[in-house]
């Protein structure tokens, strides 16, 4: 039966705007109040934190970060290699998974925190990660990240990968990530902005990679007055459009 409101024309797909922030907070060793102010200023729907608290009382410290940022904890923490996911209450959590990557002697254990989410009926997933300081495990962990996403995220749900890559655009690791997902910086004007160190940025080691099924509206490195007091990294914000599935 034809819907008289559309005269037989299918309604245009509806989409929801989602803002995802990626931020290395240096284990909250700097000004914690400044970290929260920087996060709030970006008005994110979801935040992927790297170097979240992972030692004594790490759960309560992660909860405090969420609370002072006006957010809630979705998943992650020490069990995900100090990757933490936060969100607003407008985001529904459908599933989470904390995955540790293969270990290397004498190095921090790396991993990813994955969350399948929905906002306004539009499903999407995020995977926050912090790759290794050494090139070989860094590249190996990209493959493990991809495998973890394939295991824990349904194939029809688009994914946003956000994190401290510990490598630069054009490197083998950056290119390996861009083989699976779109480098969000390509949606912004050149040159690619610097993200580290926060006080005098001179290199880009933080990035966001977006499923090609999503539309990137904007990509921005947040330069807040409190950024240098909060961490040694600047946060990166991407705004994407996520389609709402047809009823």
């Amino acid at each position: 039966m034809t819907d008289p409101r559309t005269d037989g024309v299918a309604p245009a797909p509806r989409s929801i705007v989602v803002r995802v922030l990626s931020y290395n907070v240096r284990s909250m060793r700097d000004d914690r109040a400044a970290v929260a102010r920087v996060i709030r200023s970006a008005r994110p729907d979801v935040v992927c934190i790297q170097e979240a608290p992972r030692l004594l009382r790490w759960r309560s410290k992660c909860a405090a970060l969420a609370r002072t940022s006006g957010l809630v904890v979705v998943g992650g923490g020490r069990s995900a290699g100090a990757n933490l996911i936060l969100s607003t209450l407008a985001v529904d959590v459908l599933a989470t998974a904390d995955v540790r990557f293969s270990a290397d002697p004498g190095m921090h254990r790396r991993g990813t925190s994955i969350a399948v989410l929905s906002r306004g009926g539009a499903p999407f997933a995020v995977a926050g990660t912090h790759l290794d300081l050494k090139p070989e495990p860094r590249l190996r962990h990209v493959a493990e990240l991809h495998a973890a996403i394939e295991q824990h995220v349904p194939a029809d749900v688009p994914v946003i990968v956000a994190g401290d890559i510990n490598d630069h655009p054009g490197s083998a690791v950056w290119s390996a990530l861009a083989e699976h997902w779109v480098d969000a910086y390509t949606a912004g004007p050149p040159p690619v902005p610097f993200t580290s160190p926060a006080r005098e940025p001179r290199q880009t080691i933080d990035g966001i990679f977006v499923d090609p099924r999503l539309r990137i509206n904007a990509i921005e490195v947040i330069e807040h007055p409190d950024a240098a007091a909060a961490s040694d990294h600047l946060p990166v914000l991407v705004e994407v459009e996520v389609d709402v599935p047809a009823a």
Side-chain angles (χ1 to χ4, degrees), residues 3-162:
D3 187 340
R5 294 170 298 179
T6 61
D7 293 327
V9 178
R14 186 167 66 92
S15 63
I16 297 293
V17 173
V18 175
R19 294 165 64 86
V20 177
L21 187 74
S22 180
Y23 197 9
N24 183 322
V25 300
R26 211 169 81 100
S27 299
M28 305 290 289
R29 288 179 290 177
D30 300 298
D31 187 331
R32 298 182 182 184
V35 171
R37 289 193 295 271
V38 172
I39 291 174
R40 288 197 303 268
S41 75
R43 298 178 292 107
D45 297 295
V46 180
V47 182
C48 294
I49 296 287
Q50 303 92 48
E51 291 195 36
R54 62 182 179 85
L55 299 176
L56 182 66
R57 297 176 57 246
W58 66 271
R59 288 184 180 85
S60 62
K61 292 175 181 176
C62 290
L65 171 61
R67 184 173 60 254
T68 56
S69 301
L71 304 168
V72 295
V73 173
V74 172
R78 184 166 66 187
S79 55
N83 292 285
L84 178 69
I85 298 176
L86 311 176
S87 81
T88 68
L89 290 174
V91 174
D92 295 318
V93 181
L94 307 181
T96 62
D98 295 342
V99 178
R100 288 188 176 183
F101 298 151
S102 55
D104 290 87
M107 303 297 290
H108 285 306
R109 191 70 182 269
R110 304 293 175 171
T112 180
S113 184
I114 299 171
V116 182
L117 308 168
S118 175
R119 186 176 185 276
F124 65 100
V126 296
T129 193
H130 185 185
L131 298 181
D132 208 286
L133 292 170
K134 292 186 177 180
E136 191 279 327
R138 193 160 59 228
L139 191 57
R140 185 180 76 243
H141 291 161
V142 171
E144 295 178 22
L145 170 65
H146 187 247
I149 291 172
E150 284 194 323
Q151 179 181 355
H152 294 288
V153 178
D156 60 344
V157 175
V159 182
I160 300 165
V161 175

